[in-house]
């Protein structure tokens, strides 16, 4: 198993199509993907991205969902990217 150097935390909320587009982009890189989703419904395309870590926090606040995913970081570097942004 290849060890990642960088993780991206993607806070998501009720925009599954935008999240899917962003995951398609990052899944082609060597970046560890962590999704903290506070949508009412579980992300319907999760099975398309088996290498991501997806945590569902239905209707939770931004800070609580971020706090809930922090212990999943196993890389020396991390950045945030909202589900409607792209960081290249």
């Amino acid at each position: 198993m290849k060890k990642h150097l960088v993780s991206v935390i993607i806070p998501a909320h009720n925009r599954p199509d935008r999240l899917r587009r962003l995951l398609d982009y990052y899944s082609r890189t060597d970046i560890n993907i962590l999704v903290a989703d506070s949508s009412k419904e579980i992300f319907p395309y999760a099975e398309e991205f088996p290498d991501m870590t997806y945590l569902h926090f239905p209707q939770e606040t931004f800070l609580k969902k971020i706090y809930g995913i922090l212990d999943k970081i196993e890389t020396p570097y991390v950045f945030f990217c909202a589900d409607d942004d792209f960081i290249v």
Side-chain angles (χ1 to χ4, degrees), residues 42-87:
I42 292 175
F43 180 55
Y45 309 108
E47 291 180 7
E48 294 178 19
F49 307 97
D51 293 333
M52 78 165 167
T53 300
Y54 176 84
L55 294 176
H56 189 229
F57 303 96
Q59 301 301 102
E60 196 56 82
T61 65
F62 178 81
L63 291 177
K64 286 184 181 179
K65 72 181 176 182
I66 296 303
Y67 182 76
I69 205 162
L70 290 178
D71 66 336
K72 303 296 182 194
I73 299 170
E74 298 178 353
T75 61
Y77 305 102
V78 63
F79 67 98
F80 285 88
C81 183
D83 59 2
D84 62 345
D85 289 334
F86 279 100
I87 298 176

Side-chain angles (χ1 to χ4, degrees), residues 13-72:
H13 184 77
N14 292 332
R15 294 187 284 217
D17 292 329
R18 291 185 181 199
L19 178 57
R20 184 182 191 191
R21 182 183 65 170
L22 187 63
L23 290 173
D24 184 55
Y25 174 78
Y26 282 124
S27 68
R28 299 169 196 227
T29 69
D30 188 32
I31 294 174
N32 187 40
I33 304 167
L34 307 168
V35 176
D37 186 6
S38 59
S39 303
K40 286 182 182 181
E41 304 294 326
I42 292 175
F43 180 55
Y45 309 108
E47 291 180 7
E48 294 178 19
F49 307 97
D51 293 333
M52 78 165 167
T53 300
Y54 176 84
L55 294 176
H56 189 229
F57 303 96
Q59 301 301 102
E60 196 56 82
T61 65
F62 178 81
L63 291 177
K64 286 184 181 179
K65 72 181 176 182
I66 296 303
Y67 182 76
I69 205 162
L70 290 178
D71 66 336
K72 303 296 182 194

